């Protein structure tokens, strides 16, 4: 029997592993399994989603639109949520556009108070901004019950005038309108008959100058050089201001239509080449009587500006009034205006809208930028043209 050869160098039994070694091997196995799982999830999920989407798209009909989200989209909220009350409230309806200051001439057949109530109603229904009452009319008639001694004594106060001027201003204001007055400064033919201290006299005489013979209806005029005349008109304006009127538009700030011979009869005051300064001084005195809290403007005819006849234009630098109303009357302008430089402005062939546009543009160029130019027009058509020219519609004076 052959004997089995035994290797004495190889141990008969395996060596036992240590516990630490065993734990390390377990941990390595767990980490390996985790890595395999993570890799499988990362690669497998996109493939699964792709296959799922592919199947769902194949089930949709060709050309169908994707379903829209009907839920409201809300903005991201912040720490402070803005108030949204104003945005959710219904917008208020726009107010009607106001359209100017309506001139109300003194009535001839009825009382001024009754006449005024009718015009207030008309102005409110027509969305006008204000009313300008003819309180000292061209010619000198006073349209309210003034306490001025000269006005009462000379018979200048109209019998059908406004009984209570303050009450009249209140009625206008309560109707939502602004009360204005138009005052003719230098065209008086009533008080100037009664009081020689307020009118033009012949030089070195007490005889009253008239603009024509008595047989032809000649009339006296208030003198722009008379201190008594300034006091008279200023007193009336003070009453108007105290009654609550918002402002005054002063018209007829001008000299009478002197003839060449008249200048020699009256004397140096009217022959002076700088006599125009007296017009500005008269206007400034009246404005002072009105008070700085009230609006004051002077009115000049458009044709007098273009022709160069308005002497007040020469005194604009000394005139305190900052607003000049340019009165446009198509009939007075006519089709042609002769200028002082022997040229002429022609309006033949123009429509009414084109005519008022050309006239007002010419006036603005002549007046320049020294004063605020505002329009005084006759009729609604001219008002529309004035608005297109950029005049403030609320401030436009409207004659009817």
């Amino acid at each position: 029997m052959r004997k089995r050869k035994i290797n004495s160098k190889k141990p008969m039994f395996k060596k036992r592993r240590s516990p630490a070694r065993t734990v390390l091997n377990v941990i390595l196995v767990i980490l390996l399994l985790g890595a395999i799982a993570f890799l499988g999830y990362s690669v497998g999920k996109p493939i699964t989603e792709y296959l799922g989407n592919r199947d769902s798209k194949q089930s949709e009909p060709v050309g169908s639109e994707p379903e829209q989200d009907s839920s409201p989209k809300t903005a991201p909220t912040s720490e402070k949520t803005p108030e949204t009350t104003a945005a959710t409230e219904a917008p208020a309806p726009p107010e009607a556009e106001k359209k100017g200051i309506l001139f109300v001439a003194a009535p001839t057949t009825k009382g001024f108070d009754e006449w005024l109530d009718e015009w207030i109603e008309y102005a409110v229904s027509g969305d006008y901004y204000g009313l300008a009452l003819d309180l000292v009319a061209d010619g000198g008639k006073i349209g309210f019950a003034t306490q001025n001694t000269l006005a009462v004594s000379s018979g200048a106060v109209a019998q059908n005038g406004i009984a209570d001027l303050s009450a009249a201003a209140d009625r206008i204001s309560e109707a939502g309108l602004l009360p204005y007055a138009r005052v003719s400064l230098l065209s008086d033919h009533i008080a100037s008959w009664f009081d020689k201290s307020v009118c033009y006299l012949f030089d070195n005489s007490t005889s009253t100058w008239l603009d024509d013979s008595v047989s032809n209806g000649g009339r006296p005029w208030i003198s722009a050089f008379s201190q008594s005349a300034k006091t008279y008109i200023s007193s009336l304006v003070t009453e108007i201001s105290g009654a609550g009127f918002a402002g005054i538009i002063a018209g007829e700030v001008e000299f009478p239509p002197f003839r060449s011979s008249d200048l020699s009869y009256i004397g140096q005051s009217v022959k002076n080449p700088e006599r125009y300064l007296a017009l500005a001084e008269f206007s400034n005195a009246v404005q002072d009587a009105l008070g700085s809290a009230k609006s004051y403007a002077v009115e000049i005819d458009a044709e007098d500006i273009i022709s160069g006849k308005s002497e007040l234009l020469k005194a604009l630098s000394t005139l305190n009034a900052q607003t000049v109303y340019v009165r446009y009357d198509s009939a007075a302008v006519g089709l042609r205006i002769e200028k002082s430089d022997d040229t002429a402005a022609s309006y033949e062939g123009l429509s009414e809208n084109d005519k008022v546009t050309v006239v007002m543009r010419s006036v603005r160029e002549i007046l320049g930028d020294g004063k605020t130019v505002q329009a005084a027009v006759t009729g609604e058509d001219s008002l529309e043209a004035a608005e297109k020219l950029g005049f403030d519609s609320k401030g436009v004076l409207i004659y009817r």
Side-chain angles (χ1 to χ4, degrees):
M1 181 176 182
R2 189 179 179 180
K3 292 184 180 179
R4 188 176 183 182
K5 187 178 180 180
I6 300 172
N7 187 359
S8 58
K9 294 182 179 180
K10 186 177 180 181
M12 294 181 65
F13 300 100
K14 295 181 179 179
K15 293 181 179 181
R16 180 176 292 182
R17 295 177 180 174
S18 66
R21 177 82 177 193
T22 302
V23 172
L24 177 61
N25 290 339
V26 171
I27 292 173
L28 290 174
V29 171
I30 292 173
L31 290 175
L32 179 60
L33 292 175
I36 294 171
F38 174 78
L39 182 61
Y41 177 81
S42 300
V43 174
K45 184 178 180 181
I47 296 174
T48 303
E49 290 179 349
Y50 169 78
L51 293 176
N53 291 337
R54 185 169 177 269
D55 292 340
S56 63
K57 287 183 178 180
Q58 289 177 350
S59 64
E60 290 180 2
V62 177
S64 63
E65 294 291 332
E67 184 178 356
Q68 298 295 325
D69 184 7
S70 60
S71 61
K73 307 297 181 182
T74 57
T77 58
S78 60
E79 292 181 358
K80 293 183 179 181
T81 304
E83 296 180 1
T84 58
T85 304
T88 57
E89 291 179 352
E95 294 184 2
E97 183 70 23
K98 300 295 182 180
K99 59 175 183 180
I101 303 169
L102 186 62
F103 173 73
V104 179
T108 56
T109 60
K110 61 176 61 176
F112 209 148
D113 283 300
E114 179 187 356
W115 181 248
L116 176 58
D117 289 337
E118 294 176 4
W119 280 106
I120 290 175
E121 182 178 354
Y122 176 85
V124 170
S125 63
D127 292 320
Y128 285 88
Y129 181 67
L131 293 180
L133 308 190
D134 193 17
L135 295 185
V136 182
D138 185 0
K141 184 66 72 173
I142 311 300
F144 63 97
T146 177
Q147 300 302 310
N148 184 280
T149 302
L150 177 55
V152 174
S153 300
S154 64
V157 181
Q159 294 183 353
N160 63 341
I162 295 172
D164 188 333
L165 198 58
S166 295
D170 289 341
R171 295 205 305 276
I172 296 172
S173 298
E174 290 168 0
L177 304 165
L178 277 183
Y180 290 88
R182 189 186 187 280
V183 174
S184 181
L185 261 57
L186 293 168
S187 69
D188 175 272
H189 312 309
I190 302 174
S192 53
W193 266 119
F194 184 83
D195 188 343
K196 293 182 180 294
S197 69
V198 300
C199 64
Y200 292 100
L201 300 175
F202 285 104
D203 193 21
N204 297 320
S205 171
T206 57
S207 299
T208 301
W209 171 87
L210 305 180
D211 58 9
D212 206 338
S213 63
V214 175
S215 60
N216 288 332
R219 304 163 301 177
W221 289 62
I222 273 187
S223 172
F225 303 96
S226 168
Q227 182 58 48
S228 296
K230 292 177 185 176
T231 301
Y232 172 58
I233 298 296
S234 296
S235 174
L236 297 173
V237 167
T238 299
E239 284 190 70
I240 294 170
S241 177
F245 282 76
I248 282 179
I249 301 169
E252 288 76 52
V253 191
E254 59 193 17
F255 292 110
F258 291 125
R259 295 161 297 193
S260 298
S261 58
D262 293 330
L263 302 181
S264 298
Y265 294 151
I266 297 173
Q268 186 58 37
S269 62
V270 293
K271 290 193 293 184
N272 188 332
E274 294 186 343
R275 69 182 190 182
Y276 56 83
L277 294 175
L279 298 177
E281 291 172 1
F282 200 102
S283 174
N284 293 343
V286 172
Q287 185 174 358
D288 290 343
L290 176 65
S292 59
K294 305 296 180 72
S295 66
Y296 179 85
V298 296
E299 180 187 276
I300 309 175
D301 292 337
E303 60 271 20
D304 288 343
I305 296 175
I306 294 174
S307 67
K309 292 179 180 178
S310 175
E311 295 186 59
L312 186 59
L313 292 184
K314 301 176 183 179
L316 288 183
S317 61
T318 61
L319 186 69
N320 292 338
Q322 293 302 306
T323 301
V324 176
Y325 271 91
V326 177
R327 183 170 181 175
Y328 172 84
D329 183 284
S330 183
V333 170
L335 297 178
R336 184 181 177 88
I337 296 178
E338 300 292 337
K339 299 182 179 181
S340 57
D341 59 1
D342 295 330
T343 63
S346 176
Y347 310 108
E348 295 182 8
L350 297 179
S351 66
E352 183 53 40
N353 282 340
D354 289 341
K355 180 180 175 182
V356 65
T357 299
V358 171
V359 169
M360 285 300 185
R361 283 177 177 170
S362 299
V363 164
R364 277 178 163 172
E365 291 177 0
I366 294 171
L367 292 178
D369 299 327
K371 302 292 182 182
T372 299
V373 180
Q374 185 54 279
V377 298
T378 302
E380 300 290 340
D381 293 340
S382 296
L383 171 61
E384 182 178 351
E387 291 175 345
K388 290 181 179 179
L389 286 168
F391 290 103
D392 180 9
S393 59
K394 290 182 179 180
V396 174
L397 182 62
I398 306 168
Y399 289 93
R400 297 183 62 84

